[in-house]
């Protein structure tokens, strides 16, 4: 292996359940969510800057939505690499290349995937052998979804999403992903969720994990899973981008078992019966013209490797 260069594939996530509780004093919302990593991946390459004296972290971004991603120290992937170096008290820097397939500001944790991928890749590049528990702590400092993005698979997230517990899941699920023009800001979607709840004088119960959803995962049954997919942020995402309602209706009319907004949106995801059904649905959804472009993906997949 050439130790001056490490490449990882970092997967996107969707939320099979996203239950949003009350807003906390720190501005975050208590969540109960079921994360699920799918094989829609960004490719991340890190190169050591060891031989370039005084070099700072560098980053270049290509691919899906690259023009919307900052190529400077404000990029979460750069922050992740710098935090890892700082944790170990080393002065190493790296040049990061990200080739994106995960939509930017799409509700699929693309930025979190990149940060998690960089933690794993730089840990290997610099031969730090950081324990997973420590990587998790660094990940949680960087963002709520990043601990899950380190692990992948399927897992329950509580707290602000960063406290993970395992889920027993069997089989493989097949998804069709509708990518939209433009993104949605996660804080704005949470704020819209709060606004809609205040307007409807809706009581916010402390959420709990859906038992039917856990059973569907244990059984690997897409029909059961379809009946259990929920996203409390969906009304807020549709309120901010009304055409998402039409996207979901179209996917369902075309035979999807279920369709939901992914995380804070605007990407929408549809569950298909099997791989063939997902390919057929993707072709028809692309032909319908309701979204910018369509992908197929399956899950669960493991985190950055
Ligand atoms: O943790 P992360 O930086 O990804 O969160 C982005 C924003 O999403 C937060 O600043 C907050 O506005 C919102 N958020 C929230 N409750 C959560 C997670 C995120 O309100 N549990």
């Amino acid at each position: 292996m050439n130790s001056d260069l490490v490449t990882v594939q970092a997967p996107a996530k969707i939320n099979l359940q996203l239950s949003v509780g009350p807003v906390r004093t720190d501005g975050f919302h208590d969540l109960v969510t079921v994360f699920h990593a799918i094989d829609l991946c960004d490719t991340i390459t890190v190169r050591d800057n060891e031989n370039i004296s005084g070099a700072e972290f560098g980053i270049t971004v290509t691919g899906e939505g690259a023009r919307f991603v900052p190529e400077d120290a404000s990029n979460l992937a750069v922050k992740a690499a710098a935090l890892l170096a700082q944790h170990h008290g080393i002065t190493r820097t790296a040049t990061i290349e990200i080739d994106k397939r995960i939509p930017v500001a799409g509700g699929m944790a693309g930025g979190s995937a990149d940060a998690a991928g960089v933690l794993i890749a730089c840990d290997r590049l610099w031969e730090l052998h950081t324990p997973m528990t420590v990587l998790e702590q660094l990940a949680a400092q960087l963002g709520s979804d990043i601990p899950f993005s380190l692990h992948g698979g399927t897992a329950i997230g509580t707290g602000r999403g960063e406290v993970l517990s395992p889920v027993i899941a069997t089989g493989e699920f097949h998804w069709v992903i509708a990518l939209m023009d433009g993104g949605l800001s996660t804080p704005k979607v949470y704020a819209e969720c709060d606004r809609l709840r205040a307007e409807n004088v809706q009581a916010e119960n402390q959420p709990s994990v859906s038992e039917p959803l856990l059973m569907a995962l244990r059984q690997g049954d897409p029909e059961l899973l379809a009946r259990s997919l929920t996203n409390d942020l969906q009304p807020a995402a549709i309120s901010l981008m009304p055409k998402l309602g039409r996207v979901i209706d179209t996917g369902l009319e075309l035979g999807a078992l279920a369709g939901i907004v992914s995380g804070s949106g605007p990407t929408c995801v549809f569950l298909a019966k099997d791989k063939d059904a997902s390919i057929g649905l993707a072709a028809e959804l692309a032909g319908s013209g309701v979204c910018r472009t369509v992908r197929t993906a399956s899950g669960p997949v493991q985190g950055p490797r």
Side-chain angles (χ1 to χ4, degrees), residues 27-31 112 142-145 159-161 186-187 190:
F28 285 86
H29 294 72
D30 268 321
L31 300 184
S112 299
L142 292 160
S144 307
D145 292 342
R160 57 187 167 89
T186 304
Y190 274 100

Side-chain angles (χ1 to χ4, degrees), residues 212-259:
L213 173 63
L214 295 183
M215 186 185 292
L217 290 169
R218 269 198 301 274
Q219 296 183 2
D221 183 332
E223 316 256 351
L224 273 186
L225 184 63
R227 279 183 246 143
S228 306
L229 298 179
T230 55
N231 181 0
D232 282 358
L233 291 180
Q234 181 161 313
I238 294 177
S239 167
L240 295 173
M241 203 185 267
K243 66 182 166 195
L244 298 183
R246 179 85 199 105
V247 177
I248 289 181
D249 289 347
T250 303
L252 294 174
E253 282 159 20
L254 292 172
L257 297 179

Side-chain angles (χ1 to χ4, degrees), residues 54-295:
E56 300 193 350
F57 286 98
I59 182 160
T60 56
V61 185
T62 53
E64 171 69 42
R67 67 186 188 284
F68 302 113
V69 182
E71 291 185 310
D72 57 33
S74 70
N75 190 302
L76 202 54
V78 175
K79 289 184 184 168
L83 183 63
L84 183 68
Q86 185 196 10
H87 172 81
H88 286 279
I90 58 173
T91 53
R92 306 280 282 271
T93 62
T95 299
I96 301 165
E97 286 170 26
I98 301 177
D99 189 21
K100 294 205 63 69
R101 294 191 68 222
I102 308 173
V104 175
M108 303 191 87
S112 299
D114 297 343
V118 162
L119 286 175
I120 299 272
C122 284
D123 186 62
R124 177 65 66 89
L125 182 74
W126 297 329
E127 297 176 348
L128 298 170
H129 307 288
T130 314
M132 193 50 146
T133 50
V134 174
L135 288 179
E136 280 170 11
Q137 286 162 16
L138 300 179
Q141 285 177 47
L142 292 160
S144 307
D145 292 342
I146 306 181
F148 173 75
S149 298
L150 276 178
H151 284 278
T154 305
I156 298 168
T158 54
R160 57 187 167 89
E162 87 285 21
V163 181
L164 300 177
S165 17
V167 161
I168 299 167
T170 58
E172 194 178 27
F173 296 101
H174 298 277
W175 303 92
V176 174
I177 302 165
L179 279 68
M180 304 303 297
D181 268 324
L184 280 175
S185 141
T186 304
K188 284 192 183 146
V189 176
Y190 274 100
E192 181 68 0
C193 177
D194 291 339
R195 193 189 68 78
L196 291 175
R197 285 177 168 182
E199 214 174 71
N200 297 328
V201 204
Q202 217 173 301
E204 286 154 351
N205 298 322
Q206 280 296 343
S208 60
V209 70
S210 156
E211 284 303 327
L213 173 63
L214 295 183
M215 186 185 292
L217 290 169
R218 269 198 301 274
Q219 296 183 2
D221 183 332
E223 316 256 351
L224 273 186
L225 184 63
R227 279 183 246 143
S228 306
L229 298 179
T230 55
N231 181 0
D232 282 358
L233 291 180
Q234 181 161 313
I238 294 177
S239 167
L240 295 173
M241 203 185 267
K243 66 182 166 195
L244 298 183
R246 179 85 199 105
V247 177
I248 289 181
D249 289 347
T250 303
L252 294 174
E253 282 159 20
L254 292 172
L257 297 179
I260 50 168
V261 169
S262 175
S264 55
T267 310
C268 296
V269 294
F270 297 94
L271 180 58
K273 184 163 63 81
D274 53 28
K275 190 170 181 64
D276 284 350
S278 73
I279 293 166
L281 174 61
E284 291 200 54
L285 194 61
S288 76
V290 290
C291 52
R292 178 168 58 80
T293 189
V294 174
R295 307 266 183 265

